[in-house]
């Protein structure tokens, strides 16, 4: 399956039907936009609760997510800044393929993409064509009820 340098994907266990991700083979680690990050303990497991604005430039759409914490890592971003981040593992779906991906949680409000899919997360059946975008199909924004949000 050939993907472009940016694609619409879903994160089913986080109840995110659509998020635009940058497929970045230069980045080792995947990153997911998160804010209001709170950790807690439930049934002996460390978990994290966080909010996400899955669509760029749309703060009126907010999804609250919960996930198990699998690690905490120091990550250096492309600007050389280091940040200690929580790490979760959750399935991602691109068309018919679904597989678990480790991703760090960080605020990506000022970034062009709410999610960065790093090279360690790329499925063995994927080939990245950096000359193209959205080879898996057009925008999935229609999966959100944006008309309802405009009235709120």
């Amino acid at each position: 399956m050939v993907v472009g340098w940016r694609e619409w994907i879903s994160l089913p266990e986080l109840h995110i039907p659509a998020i635009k991700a940058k497929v970045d083979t230069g980045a080792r680690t995947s990153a997911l936009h998160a804010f209001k990050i709170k950790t807690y303990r439930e049934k002996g497991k460390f978990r994290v609760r966080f909010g996400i604005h899955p669509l760029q430039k749309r703060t009126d759409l907010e999804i609250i997510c919960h996930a198990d914490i699998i690690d905490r890592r120091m990550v250096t971003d492309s600007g050389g800044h280091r940040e200690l981040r929580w790490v979760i593992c959750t399935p991602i779906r691109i068309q018919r393929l679904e597989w678990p991906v480790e991703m760090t949680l960080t605020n990506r409000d000022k970034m062009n993409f709410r999610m960065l899919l790093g090279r360690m997360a790329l499925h063995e059946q994927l080939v990245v064509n950096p000359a193209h975008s959205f080879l898996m199909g057009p925008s999935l924004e229609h999966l959100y009820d944006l008309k309802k949000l405009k009235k709120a």
Side-chain angles (χ1 to χ4, degrees):
M1 181 183 296
V2 181
V3 297
W5 71 271
R6 56 187 172 167
E7 293 291 346
W8 284 93
I9 67 166
S10 65
L11 303 168
E13 284 188 7
L14 297 179
H15 307 287
I16 299 172
I19 188 167
K20 188 169 50 172
K22 178 180 180 182
V23 181
D24 189 351
T25 59
R28 183 179 197 285
T29 308
S30 296
L32 180 64
H33 171 65
F35 61 92
K36 294 183 187 172
I37 300 170
K38 301 287 183 197
T39 60
Y40 63 98
R41 193 174 181 106
E42 182 179 75
K43 297 179 183 177
K45 290 185 175 182
F46 286 106
R47 293 181 54 83
V48 64
R49 177 187 189 275
F50 59 95
I52 181 169
H53 298 126
L55 301 178
Q56 195 68 28
K57 300 176 185 170
R58 294 295 305 254
T59 58
D60 56 340
L61 175 59
E62 180 177 313
I63 297 175
I64 302 300
C65 304
H66 296 264
D68 290 341
I69 294 170
I70 63 165
D71 199 4
R72 194 165 192 197
R73 297 182 192 146
M74 187 64 69
V75 177
T76 304
D77 67 19
S78 59
H81 304 99
R82 293 172 52 86
E83 179 185 29
L84 190 59
R85 299 180 187 174
W86 295 109
V87 182
I88 64 170
C89 184
T90 191
I92 71 166
R93 183 179 299 141
I94 300 177
Q95 284 198 342
R96 69 183 187 283
L97 286 180
E98 184 174 316
W99 68 99
V101 170
E102 286 186 9
M103 58 187 73
T104 65
L105 302 177
T106 187
N107 190 315
R108 295 183 57 83
D109 268 333
K110 293 185 169 73
M111 306 303 282
N112 289 330
F113 294 89
R114 297 296 189 193
M115 183 171 172
L116 184 75
L117 192 60
R119 67 179 175 269
M120 297 305 291
L122 295 178
H123 192 278
E124 63 188 17
Q125 293 183 27
L126 293 182
V127 175
V128 181
N129 184 336
H132 294 283
S133 297
F134 308 119
L135 294 175
M136 297 295 99
S139 170
L140 296 178
E141 285 186 35
H142 67 277
L143 296 175
Y144 295 105
D145 189 355
L146 299 178
K147 290 179 186 174
K148 182 179 177 183
L149 291 170
K150 288 178 186 175
K151 294 177 185 174

